[in-house]
Amino acid sequence: MNRRADGGLALVGLAALVLPLGSQADDFSNAYYDARTDQLVVSMTYGGTNSNHTFSLRWGPCQDVSGSNLHELAGEVLDNQWQDQALRPFNKTVRFSLADIPCRPAQVTLRTAPRFIYTVLIPKQS
């Protein structure tokens, strides 16, 4: 075997050691806007050793969409136990208030690490 192949195998072996067994990222099973409560309702699926994960939302800046009154807004859904080993699957529905969103109407793109995305349209506040 040559050095390049040996190096590639070493990287694969290192990745296997670094990634925890049963590692599983948080994901969305559903998300929608609840007009009655002015909240974003997000159903999360996640793995862990317990069901007591708490989710929070970190907003990015509002972006104007050229030629439209619609805005774009990114929100990162954060898991307070993101390093919990994914031994069992869990589901949880969480609600996030939209009272402090500075721009409406907005197309909200929710993200979780590493690659899960869900988009929800938030109408103009009445």
Side-chain angles (χ1 to χ4, degrees):
M1 223 183 255
N2 64 32
R3 284 185 183 170
R4 184 174 287 176
D6 287 341
L9 287 175
L11 284 176
V12 170
L14 180 61
L17 290 174
V18 172
L19 292 174
L21 292 175
S23 167
Q24 177 181 334
D26 298 339
D27 194 3
F28 308 105
S29 59
N30 191 23
Y32 64 91
Y33 173 69
D34 182 349
R36 188 179 54 78
T37 61
D38 194 34
Q39 292 179 328
L40 192 58
V41 181
V42 181
S43 298
M44 300 295 301
T45 58
Y46 59 97
T49 59
N50 66 83
S51 63
N52 297 330
H53 290 219
T54 301
F55 296 93
S56 60
L57 193 56
R58 181 172 49 196
W59 293 110
C62 288
Q63 303 289 325
D64 291 333
V65 176
S66 181
S68 172
N69 67 339
L70 185 67
H71 301 72
E72 290 180 342
L73 181 61
E76 185 178 5
V77 179
L78 304 171
D79 181 347
N80 74 326
Q81 295 185 50
W82 62 274
Q83 290 182 313
D84 189 20
Q85 192 175 5
L87 297 180
R88 295 187 356 224
F90 295 99
N91 297 300
K92 181 179 277 191
T93 299
V94 292
R95 294 176 161 269
F96 300 108
S97 173
L98 298 175
D100 296 331
I101 288 185
C103 57
R104 288 187 188 215
Q107 178 177 307
V108 173
T109 301
L110 299 173
R111 290 186 172 84
T112 64
R115 64 191 173 280
F116 299 105
I117 297 173
Y118 208 100
T119 302
V120 179
L121 184 62
I122 307 301
K124 187 172 187 155
Q125 198 165 16
S126 54

